[in-house]
Amino acid sequence: MAHWEGVAEFVEVAQSHSFTSAAKKLKTSVAQVSRRVSALEERLAVKLLNRTTRKVSLTEAGLVYFQQCKHLVEGLELANIAVTQMQSQPKGLLKVTAPVTYGEQKLAPLFNQFLQLYPQIDMELILSNQKLDLVESGIDLAIRLGRLENSTMIARQLASRQVYVCASKDYLQRFGEPHTLSELSQHQCLLGSLDHWHFQQAGKSLSIRVHGRIKCNSGFALRDAALRGLGLVQLPDFYVEEDLASGALIEVLTQFREQREGIWALYPQNRNLSPKVRLLLDFLVEKLSDAEPTS
């Protein structure tokens, strides 16, 4: 531990520009802080601080050392907090947002299981297809599906989903099965919020513009239209997996099926991940990965 001696004191002085303020924060004496910083400088054989009677400032070497050590000290503090809080039952409010349908079908039952396991945790679940501002709304965790936009958030993948293009047997008998992406222009495509579908060809992702009579922002409504033979539909597995298994819907363009998309948990990078949030993350990873197909 000799390498750590004086580091916490130096970081606190560097942040507050004061030995007195650092001593108050660390609940020790000014003399003790000064001795430890001086010993650190002697051990490193470099001057880290410029000291005058009026102020304390960093030397060039001190600035470099501070930038590296600041994260180490913060990490040590977080580790201490995490271990300490492990000794007590997790408690407090978790504020989570998720897309409506996936939240209702897949996440809400898991959240309820989680709350049964940890009775001192409260949860506010906001189901919305709008991408809410996590920091402004005070949200601890956001569940997002598919491609992630560039973001300042930290993302952790919980699981993945598969997107299928499919149609009813009746539709395919009447209009034929498409075998190439160019044939989509000859078909009724049931549109969601976007007017293009995603595929993969020769290892590259493609975005194909499609058209049709029906456009709706509800996956359930599009599934119903597909079951009634009104067109082709592209939907994630949790909408159509039972229909594909029963034969009510038939997958087409299988050779162009895109790779599985991520299901992500996002949280602000400037917010320390509390033990209860980490607990929920680990729980979701375990439960959602268990539900994924092995092939």
Side-chain angles (χ1 to χ4, degrees):
M1 293 296 294
H3 294 300
W4 276 98
E5 288 182 8
V7 173
E9 289 83 355
F10 162 72
V11 168
E12 199 57 53
V13 172
Q15 290 182 136
S16 63
H17 303 286
S18 166
F19 279 86
T20 301
S21 297
K24 288 180 179 178
K25 179 72 180 293
L26 297 172
K27 297 181 179 179
T28 186
S29 67
V30 174
Q32 176 77 341
V33 172
S34 180
R35 277 196 299 270
R36 291 213 165 187
V37 172
S38 296
L40 176 64
E41 290 177 314
E42 185 177 341
R43 192 165 68 247
L44 295 173
V46 65
K47 187 177 182 182
L48 300 174
L49 298 170
N50 291 313
R51 304 165 174 83
T52 70
T53 55
R54 299 183 61 183
K55 66 176 183 178
V56 178
S57 62
L58 290 166
T59 64
E60 183 179 358
L63 178 59
V64 172
Y65 196 66
F66 169 69
Q67 289 171 339
Q68 298 296 322
C69 290
K70 181 176 183 290
H71 302 295
L72 296 175
V73 172
E74 288 175 348
L76 181 60
E77 290 175 352
L78 288 175
N80 291 337
I81 292 171
V83 170
T84 300
Q85 292 194 5
M86 282 178 64
Q87 308 305 314
S88 60
Q89 186 77 357
K91 58 184 176 181
L93 176 66
L94 278 173
K95 196 170 181 180
V96 182
T97 183
V100 176
T101 302
Y102 188 76
E104 289 176 338
Q105 282 197 305
K106 298 293 185 180
L107 295 177
L110 295 180
F111 290 150
N112 292 336
Q113 289 181 38
F114 179 80
L115 293 173
Q116 285 179 311
L117 292 173
Y118 302 100
Q120 294 189 51
I121 292 180
D122 300 327
M123 181 177 291
E124 180 181 347
L125 176 58
I126 305 168
L127 295 180
S128 172
N129 293 330
Q130 301 297 316
K131 294 182 178 178
L132 305 177
D133 187 310
L134 273 61
V135 175
E136 185 177 313
S137 303
I139 294 171
D140 296 297
L141 206 64
I143 308 300
R144 300 273 166 82
L145 309 178
R147 295 177 177 82
L148 291 178
E149 299 174 355
N150 291 334
S151 171
T152 59
M153 301 292 116
I154 296 176
R156 177 177 177 183
Q157 185 167 350
L158 303 175
S160 63
R161 67 174 184 176
Q162 184 66 64
V163 176
Y164 298 98
V165 177
C166 49
S168 69
K169 184 177 181 180
D170 175 62
Y171 177 88
L172 296 177
Q173 286 176 340
R174 285 186 292 130
F175 299 102
E177 178 181 343
H179 295 285
T180 64
L181 297 180
S182 62
E183 291 178 58
L184 285 173
S185 62
Q186 304 167 25
H187 284 268
Q188 286 292 327
C189 297
L190 306 171
L191 303 179
S193 302
L194 305 175
D195 62 357
H196 56 271
W197 289 354
H198 297 290
F199 297 94
Q200 184 160 307
Q201 186 175 34
K204 295 182 179 180
S205 293
L206 298 176
S207 180
I208 304 295
R209 189 176 296 277
V210 294
H211 67 276
R213 293 169 54 206
I214 298 175
K215 185 171 185 177
C216 181
N217 64 352
S218 166
F220 283 123
L222 296 176
R223 167 184 172 269
D224 183 73
L227 288 169
R228 294 176 185 275
L230 292 174
L232 302 170
V233 71
Q234 186 177 62
L235 285 172
D237 47 17
F238 53 88
Y239 284 104
V240 297
E241 55 193 354
E242 292 182 3
D243 300 317
L244 291 171
S246 69
L249 291 175
I250 298 169
E251 185 184 6
V252 299
L253 300 171
T254 308
Q255 68 273 33
F256 302 108
R257 183 199 297 164
E258 199 173 29
Q259 292 184 348
R260 297 182 69 85
E261 297 179 334
I263 297 171
W264 309 89
L266 271 63
Y267 55 92
Q269 62 175 295
N270 60 349
R271 185 175 299 169
N272 292 336
L273 195 59
S274 68
K276 62 178 181 286
V277 175
R278 191 178 300 278
L279 202 63
L280 177 60
L281 277 173
D282 292 341
F283 178 84
L284 290 174
V285 168
E286 177 186 353
K287 295 297 183 181
L288 291 173
S289 61
D290 284 349
E292 285 194 357
T294 55
S295 59

